[in-house]
Amino acid sequence: MSKSVAIIGTRGYPSYYGGFETAVRKLAPYLAEQGWDVTVYGREGSTRPDDDGRDPRVHTVTTRGLETKSVSTLSYGFTATRHAAKAKPDVALVMNVANGFFLPTLTRAGIPSLVNVDGIEWDRAKWGRIAKFVFHTGAKWTATHGTRMVYDAKAIAARWKSEFGLDGDFIPYGGDVPGELPLESGLEHRRYALMVARFVPENTVAEFIDAAEQMATYCDVVIVGSSGYGGELEEKVAALSAANSRVKWLGHLSDDQRLLSLWQHAGAYFHGHSVGGTNPALVQAMACGAPVIARDTIYNREVLEGAGVLVQPDANAIEAAVKALLNDPEKQQALSEAALARAEESYSWLGVCQKYEAALLELIKQK
């Protein structure tokens, strides 16, 4: 049977920007392999036509929008949804509740929608009052006009059940278990601290930067990430890196193998994300066997299930946990093995892709 799906709400394919883009890089080729006609909507300049990671069976469409922090998601979601409504795929996979405003367009076109609601965006500290209102309203529209929801964490599912009375499918993110990768030049295996995060307040970046000043007196500190828009946190990391050779700021990395290597050889990986459900960076770090120190949140507890150290979002607590782990090779090994086992058991990309396909097929069947 011929099956077609439009994927709306990411920066495109293949893109390396964030969790949605990572999921689409795995899911789109998988669906194409299963015989789907797959179209991924994206933004001009967010992907490279000559990217070696591109599967030629995946169709891509770029639409117009406004590339600003506050309205980019809404503007690109609007134009992508209009295009998809005319193309009339069998089903649409929509990422992010901000696109909930445009779901009626799909409904009128007879296209059922599977919506990955992401995290609780209206709780994020990076958004102002108006943006939080927009996201919360978008969630209400999603709850009303989306055909079926996807939750990447059980805690997110519980929140949506409580607030909107909706069930849905629990489909987390996955991780690749890599082979042995070469150590980054200038670093020692299990002797450096690592943070990988977008530079936003709820990812505990400021607290880690403060802790890094003390950590750099006894270990290398590697920081991967940026805000994408400049700002105070980037300025602070740049200044710290310039002043101390043991603090290495690598910015945003699109080289998957290099990032996997950093996780695989880290002595302590700090994961400070506090909202958003199952975080793909945490799952991938676990699949690489990184010894994890994570901010104590309901989401991180759910994913780790004891395979990591939990700390409060305080610079002193973070630094103390990193120092203790770097000085305890036996605990490093135990956490590494536990994280890898947990990732293999519950967070494989094959399992994730199979669940997405099953949910999409069910919507077509109901249609």
Side-chain angles (χ1 to χ4, degrees):
M1 159 177 112
S2 176
K3 305 158 290 188
S4 59
V5 58
I7 302 178
I8 298 168
T10 75
R11 289 175 175 256
Y13 171 83
S15 174
Y16 304 85
Y17 180 75
F20 281 157
E21 287 74 19
T22 301
V24 170
R25 286 207 322 275
K26 303 296 182 181
L27 179 60
Y30 173 85
L31 292 175
E33 181 67 27
Q34 307 309 310
W36 287 76
D37 183 346
V38 183
T39 299
V40 180
Y41 286 87
R43 310 178 184 185
E44 192 69 41
S46 292
T47 61
R48 302 194 318 269
D50 60 345
D51 194 312
D52 291 339
R54 179 183 293 272
D55 188 318
R57 298 171 297 182
V58 177
H59 309 296
T60 57
V61 175
T62 56
T63 60
R64 293 185 177 182
L66 300 174
E67 193 58 58
T68 67
K69 183 178 179 181
S70 57
V71 300
S72 60
T73 298
L74 289 169
S75 63
Y76 284 106
F78 172 69
T79 55
T81 303
R82 285 187 62 188
H83 190 284
K86 293 178 181 178
K88 292 194 179 299
D90 293 321
V91 64
L93 173 60
V94 180
M95 308 297 216
N96 198 324
V97 295
N99 293 309
F101 296 105
F102 317 123
L103 292 175
T105 301
L106 297 177
T107 302
R108 285 193 295 270
I111 304 167
S113 56
L114 182 68
V115 186
N116 184 319
V117 304
D118 199 17
I120 310 299
E121 287 289 329
W122 53 97
D123 282 353
R124 290 184 185 267
K126 72 175 180 178
W127 299 120
R129 181 176 56 84
I130 295 176
K132 289 180 178 181
F133 172 78
V134 169
F135 276 116
H136 197 205
T137 305
K140 293 177 181 178
W141 278 65
T142 297
T144 302
H145 301 287
T147 313
R148 184 75 176 172
M149 307 298 122
V150 167
Y151 310 114
D152 66 40
K154 293 174 182 176
I156 296 291
R159 177 75 178 266
W160 272 70
K161 180 68 173 178
S162 171
E163 187 158 348
F164 302 110
L166 287 180
D167 293 313
D169 298 296
F170 165 57
I171 309 178
Y173 290 97
D176 293 311
V177 179
E180 188 65 33
L181 295 169
L183 179 65
E184 178 97 358
S185 177
L187 297 175
E188 292 182 62
H189 177 70
R190 292 288 186 256
R191 294 304 307 156
Y192 62 91
L194 171 68
M195 183 187 73
V196 179
R198 196 172 305 158
F199 287 7
V200 291
E202 61 266 23
N203 289 349
T204 327
V205 177
E207 293 85 349
F208 184 84
I209 296 169
D210 290 340
E213 294 188 54
Q214 178 60 29
M215 285 185 239
T217 63
Y218 53 81
C219 73
D220 289 320
V221 181
V222 181
I223 299 174
V224 177
S226 66
S227 69
Y229 298 93
E232 182 181 348
L233 289 174
E234 282 199 9
E235 292 172 3
K236 195 170 182 179
V237 171
L240 181 60
S241 178
N244 194 320
S245 62
R246 300 200 76 173
V247 178
K248 306 174 191 304
W249 179 34
L250 305 182
H252 176 75
L253 280 186
S254 59
D255 183 339
D256 274 358
Q257 294 303 298
R258 189 180 179 192
L259 186 53
L260 294 178
S261 170
L262 288 169
W263 271 316
Q264 188 176 80
H265 294 283
Y269 165 61
F270 174 70
H271 184 80
H273 296 62
S274 61
V275 297
T278 297
N279 185 270
L282 176 56
V283 171
Q284 187 56 71
M286 293 164 64
C288 290
V292 176
I293 297 171
R295 178 169 171 170
D296 190 359
T297 71
I298 188 173
Y299 308 117
N300 294 338
R301 289 197 299 273
E302 176 184 322
V303 175
L304 285 165
E305 270 201 353
V309 175
L310 298 172
V311 297
Q312 294 303 309
D314 172 80
N316 292 330
I318 295 167
E319 187 274 326
V322 168
K323 187 173 186 178
L325 190 53
L326 291 178
N327 289 329
D328 192 341
E330 289 186 4
K331 187 166 187 177
Q332 285 180 328
Q333 184 63 25
L335 289 178
S336 173
E337 292 174 358
L340 178 57
R342 171 80 174 139
E344 289 181 316
E345 178 185 0
S346 302
Y347 298 101
S348 75
W349 273 120
L350 177 59
V352 168
C353 290
Q354 289 172 338
K355 289 177 182 177
Y356 268 109
E357 184 183 25
L360 292 168
L361 286 172
E362 182 62 27
L363 289 185
I364 293 177
K365 179 182 176 182
Q366 292 175 3
K367 173 183 171 182

